[in-house]
Amino acid sequence: MGVDPSFVGRSYPPTPVYEVARTTLAAFGEATGATHPACTDTGAAQALGYRDTVAPPTFAVVVAQAAEAQYVADPAAGIDFSRVVHADERFTHHRPICAGDRLVTVLHVESVTQRAGLSLVTTRCEIADDAGAPVATVRSTLAVRPEEVAS
């Protein structure tokens, strides 16, 4: 089937609220090697001016991927996740993500292009707090390999 290019320009409904927990930030920091005390110690984070423990910059991908799942899981989109390779990820932070944040994400499908048999799918996730203030923008590009043709 292949990736459907008619999804370009589509926006998905806001996700349910994602509540950022201290334990989640600590686990993410440990998994990614983020060792700054502000990621695990509330006192250290507050001493630096944050209201609570702060997320490592790449933590926004956790929130974005939950929104991207709406698109990837849609059978009409034509994305076979078993054929997906992550090609690129870019973050624009409008403010740090902290424990206690309640985040909502809107997913936008920005482009679907074909290169050398691959479908390159670029999405943009606008992450905001539950009051609507911008928190981060995450742009992701997935390379979707074509189905193998039987010979």
Side-chain angles (χ1 to χ4, degrees):
M1 172 167 126
V3 178
D4 185 344
S6 73
F7 277 67
V8 173
R10 185 174 293 193
S11 296
Y12 284 79
T15 61
V17 170
Y18 180 95
E19 296 189 33
V20 180
R22 284 187 194 114
T23 55
T24 304
L25 295 182
F28 185 86
E30 183 177 333
T32 60
T35 59
H36 196 283
C39 296
T40 57
D41 182 318
T42 304
Q46 289 173 338
L48 293 171
Y50 299 107
R51 102 181 113 59
D52 208 320
T53 54
V54 65
T58 55
F59 180 78
V61 74
V62 172
V63 183
Q65 284 182 341
E68 291 166 349
Q70 298 173 92
Y71 172 44
V72 173
D74 184 341
I79 299 172
D80 177 351
F81 199 71
S82 71
R83 299 186 168 288
V84 168
V85 176
H86 199 137
D88 191 38
E89 194 90 54
R90 296 177 188 262
F91 302 90
T92 302
H93 291 278
H94 309 296
R95 70 153 175 89
I97 295 173
C98 293
D101 279 345
R102 295 172 44 82
L103 305 175
V104 176
T105 305
V106 175
L107 170 72
H108 306 274
V109 180
E110 290 202 322
S111 67
V112 175
T113 56
Q114 300 292 320
R115 289 196 187 143
L118 292 174
S119 295
L120 297 173
V121 177
T122 300
T123 61
R124 174 175 43 90
C125 289
E126 296 293 346
I127 302 171
D129 64 23
D130 59 352
V135 175
T137 302
V138 180
R139 282 192 168 78
S140 300
T141 301
L142 303 176
V144 184
R145 295 177 292 129
E147 293 183 30
E148 294 176 17
V149 179
S151 45

